[in-house]
């Protein structure tokens, strides 16, 4: 398991640090091959199906990236990532990166794969696996189409809002939440890359906080979250605040990226676009609020009189949740420092 995890980390780091298209492709390939066994560890038809879907989509995107860089090298003679791309290459690259991240309309694999894997694997897919493609977008943004990314960002935030409304599984809710957040990142990527990096970091921290809460409380469905209070009252408060932060409510950290992106897009006169995205973030906020409602404000009808869950594993590792939970709640006053 440690070998697989270290290969996963190595793949991402190779992609992030490369300036040669071939090395970037090698990193992405290593990353994909490392996570396949992690997804299929359950030995269950659902996880095998999820691993197969993940492999097919990621192999296709890696092939597209390799193909776009090869056609570019034929035309220009350069393998450098930061050099301008020819039009066919940049169209292929945009499609590949959007599919690798799970941006709408190429998002269909993401909720299925996440639903078929365990909570921990879903956590890795929604956080760590976004870093490599995002770093490629960061490197090639000058050569990619601004209007396509703005359109994809708008579509993703709408799909992330609408798709999550009808879900009862927490993993699928987190998948649609991920699509919506990536939509916000895609819109700002072509305008201000430093806000993109900041948004990505804040998204990673907030998602980490939520997933650790769900892993500790073993909440796979919305119904499961109703018994979180029997495990730990503190955890219910952390989940409440982290979910509201993920929705982007003002006194919390999640408001920073939304505020800055809105401000920047209004400066660029994208008024209609940002109005639609703000409306779609209300859709996302609805299903976060539904989760907070079941977690902290209701008691599910139960027959047992006990106030505490049976603790079969009394030493749950709650230490890791402290830092991400704190950062995902209290970071708003630090905004000027983050921007510098």
């Amino acid at each position: 398991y440690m070998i697989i995890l270290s290969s996963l980390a190595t793949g991402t780091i190779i992609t992030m640090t490369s300036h040669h298209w071939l090395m970037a492709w090698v990193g992405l390939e290593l990353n994909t091959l490392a996570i396949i066994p992690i997804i299929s560890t359950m030995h269950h038809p659902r996880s095998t199906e999820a691993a197969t879907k993940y492999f097919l989509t990621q192999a296709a995107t890696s092939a597209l990236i390799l193909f776009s860089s090869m056609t570019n090298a034929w035309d220009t003679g350069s393998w450098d990532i930061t050099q301008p791309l020819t039009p066919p290459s940049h169209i292929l690259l945009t499609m590949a990166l959007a599919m690798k991240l799970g941006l709408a309309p190429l998002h269909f694999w993401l909720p299925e794969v996440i639903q078929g894997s365990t909570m921990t694997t879903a956590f890795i897919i929604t956080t760590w696996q976004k870093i490599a493609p995002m770093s490629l977008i960061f490197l090639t943004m000058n050569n990619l189409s601004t209007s396509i990314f703005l359109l994809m960002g708008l579509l993703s935030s709408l799909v992330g809002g609408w798709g999550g409304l009808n879900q009862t599984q927490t993993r699928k809710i987190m998948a649609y939440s991920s699509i919506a957040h990536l939509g916000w990142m895609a819109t700002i990527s072509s305008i201000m890359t430093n806000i993109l990096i900041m948004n990505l970091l804040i998204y990673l921290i907030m998602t980490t906080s939520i997933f650790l809460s769900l892993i500790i409380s073993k909440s796979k469905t919305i119904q499961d979250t109703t018994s979180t209070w029997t495990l730990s009252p503190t955890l219910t408060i952390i989940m409440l605040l982290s979910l509201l932060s993920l929705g982007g409510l003002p006194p919390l950290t999640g408001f920073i990226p939304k505020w800055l992106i809105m401000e920047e897009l209004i400066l660029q006169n994208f008024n209609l676009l940002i109005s639609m995205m703000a409306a779609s973030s209300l859709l996302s906020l609805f299903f976060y609020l539904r989760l907070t409602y079941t977690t902290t404000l209701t008691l599910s009808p139960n027959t047992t009189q006990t106030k505490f869950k049976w603790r079969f594993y009394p030493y749950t590792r709650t230490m890791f949740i402290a830092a991400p939970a704190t950062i995902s709640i209290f970071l708003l006053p630090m905004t000027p420092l983050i921007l510098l």
Side-chain angles (χ1 to χ4, degrees):
Y1 200 68
M2 285 312 297
I3 290 171
I4 290 169
L5 281 181
S6 55
S7 304
L8 190 73
T10 310
T12 302
I13 291 164
I14 287 173
T15 305
M16 286 171 71
T17 52
S18 60
H19 275 274
H20 193 286
W21 274 116
L22 211 56
M23 284 309 289
W25 173 79
V26 165
L28 291 171
E29 206 61 40
L30 182 62
N31 196 317
T32 304
L33 291 175
I35 202 165
I36 297 298
I38 298 178
I39 298 174
S40 52
T41 43
M42 286 289 289
H43 303 298
H44 188 275
R46 294 287 302 265
S47 59
T48 314
E49 182 190 343
T52 312
K53 283 176 179 171
Y54 189 83
F55 173 73
L56 290 173
T57 51
Q58 300 298 312
T61 53
S62 293
L64 273 176
I65 288 173
L66 188 60
F67 188 53
S68 86
S69 55
M70 280 170 65
T71 50
N72 187 58
W74 277 330
D75 285 339
T76 61
S78 165
W79 283 92
D80 194 335
I81 291 182
T82 52
Q83 294 301 313
L85 297 165
T86 56
S89 300
H90 105 233
I91 292 165
L92 281 173
L93 184 67
T94 307
M95 280 176 57
L97 290 174
M99 193 166 169
K100 214 160 188 50
L101 279 172
L103 286 173
L106 304 163
H107 66 283
F108 293 97
W109 62 272
L110 185 65
E112 299 296 322
V113 168
I114 285 181
Q115 187 51 41
S117 50
T118 60
M119 265 300 177
T120 315
T121 314
F123 163 54
I124 293 172
I125 294 171
T126 47
T127 52
W128 186 256
Q129 294 300 93
K130 306 295 179 209
I131 298 174
M134 268 298 173
S135 62
L136 281 181
I137 285 181
F138 179 74
L139 285 170
T140 56
M141 202 56 244
N142 296 332
N143 314 320
L144 300 179
S145 165
T146 305
S147 49
I148 288 177
F149 267 92
L150 287 170
L151 191 64
M152 277 185 171
L154 175 62
L155 261 176
S156 299
S157 56
L158 286 167
V159 165
W162 283 118
L165 288 180
N166 207 19
Q167 302 300 333
T168 54
Q169 303 280 337
T170 48
R171 275 167 297 187
K172 273 202 172 171
I173 285 177
M174 291 310 293
Y176 282 108
S177 148
S178 172
I179 293 167
H181 277 272
L182 287 167
W184 282 83
M185 284 181 237
T187 47
I188 200 65
S189 61
S190 53
I191 296 163
M192 271 190 94
T193 41
N194 56 351
I195 295 184
L196 164 72
I197 299 290
M198 185 209 63
N199 192 347
L200 180 64
L201 287 173
I202 288 178
Y203 158 76
L204 293 178
I205 291 164
M206 292 192 301
T207 310
T208 304
S209 174
I210 296 288
F211 263 109
L212 289 177
S213 306
L214 293 174
I215 290 166
I216 291 168
S217 61
K218 298 184 177 62
S219 304
K220 290 187 176 62
T221 60
I222 290 183
Q223 195 179 357
D224 292 345
T225 58
T226 53
S227 57
T228 313
W229 64 277
T230 58
L231 188 71
S232 158
T234 319
L235 188 65
T236 58
I237 295 168
I238 287 174
M239 276 182 81
L240 164 81
L241 291 169
S242 300
L243 281 162
L244 292 178
S245 183
L246 206 58
L249 284 187
L252 304 163
T253 308
F255 182 57
I256 304 173
K258 283 194 169 52
W259 173 27
L260 294 173
I261 290 171
M262 281 176 137
E263 190 180 18
E264 193 55 43
L265 288 174
I266 288 167
L267 277 177
Q268 304 287 343
N269 278 331
F270 292 116
N271 294 331
L272 180 63
L273 174 86
I274 200 62
S275 306
M276 290 173 77
M277 287 190 69
S280 70
S281 75
L282 291 176
L283 294 170
S284 300
L285 186 62
F286 172 77
F287 59 79
Y288 296 133
L289 279 173
R290 194 173 59 174
L291 267 179
T292 57
Y293 181 69
T294 55
T295 311
T296 52
L297 302 173
T298 55
L299 285 181
S300 58
N302 48 15
T303 50
T304 55
Q305 298 301 313
T306 54
K307 289 284 184 283
F308 292 103
K309 276 186 182 179
W310 281 85
R311 300 196 179 191
F312 296 112
Y313 304 102
Y315 302 110
T316 317
R317 297 205 175 275
T318 51
M319 183 180 66
F320 302 113
I321 201 175
T326 311
I327 297 170
S328 65
I329 294 166
F330 293 117
L331 211 64
L332 188 68
M334 305 284 284
T335 313
L337 295 175
I338 299 168
L339 280 178
L340 295 173

